[in-house]
Amino acid sequence: MPRDINQVKKILRETDNGKIRCIWTGVRLSARYHIDHAVPFSLWQNNNLWNLVPVKASINLSKSDKIPSPKLIDESSDRIKEVWRLYSGKFGTQFEEEIYEGLGTGLDNNMDDAIHALMNKSEYLIEKRGFQKFEPR
């Protein structure tokens, strides 16, 4: 699968009027932010929309191929949902299908089910598969 994230960059650029925040830290992003694969591309080779989140460049470089901890996902859930709502509004059915395919759940319960599914996936990858946990300092 190609590593094409241009459609997400385009949507974020169209929306970015100082409101885009780093998913993992909450810091307002300048125009030079990165798109992070929440579950690393090297692990899953997944460019599904739900997996692509805006982050501060230095955070993305320090995260690298680490897995965001369930605690970090929980603490970042409002920012994740904000980006997911944007994607859902712009991509509609494609986003819904990809979140179901990747996380095994829909957008019910104010996206809480999808957040919990991402937390469970993270916990599995860290605790059972031995991948390194990411929590920004």
Side-chain angles (χ1 to χ4, degrees), residues 22-61:
C22 174
I23 291 298
W24 305 130
T25 66
V27 172
R28 284 198 193 279
L29 293 172
S30 68
R32 296 173 51 192
Y33 55 84
H34 285 189
I35 302 298
D36 179 36
H37 288 77
V39 178
F41 187 84
S42 62
L43 171 64
W44 199 2
Q45 299 195 357
N46 177 311
N47 280 328
N48 285 352
L49 295 164
W50 64 267
N51 197 35
L52 302 174
V53 293
V55 296
K56 189 175 172 185
S58 61
I59 293 296
N60 193 34
L61 295 172

Side-chain angles (χ1 to χ4, degrees), residues 11 17 21-22 47 66 92 104 116 133:
I11 294 301
N17 54 5
R21 293 186 176 271
C22 174
N47 280 328
K66 297 174 188 138
H116 289 292
K133 170 173 60 173

Side-chain angles (χ1 to χ4, degrees), residues 87-101:
Y87 295 167
S88 181
K90 296 290 184 176
F91 298 107
T93 304
Q94 176 188 350
F95 178 75
E96 291 176 33
E97 289 171 356
E98 288 180 1
I99 206 160
Y100 185 79
E101 172 190 297

Side-chain angles (χ1 to χ4, degrees), residues 6-20 31 33 35 86-87 89-91:
N6 289 328
Q7 66 182 147
V8 165
K9 285 182 178 180
K10 181 178 185 279
I11 294 301
L12 290 170
R13 266 195 312 271
E14 290 172 359
T15 308
D16 186 9
N17 54 5
K19 292 194 296 188
I20 303 293
Y33 55 84
I35 302 298
L86 173 65
Y87 295 167
K90 296 290 184 176
F91 298 107

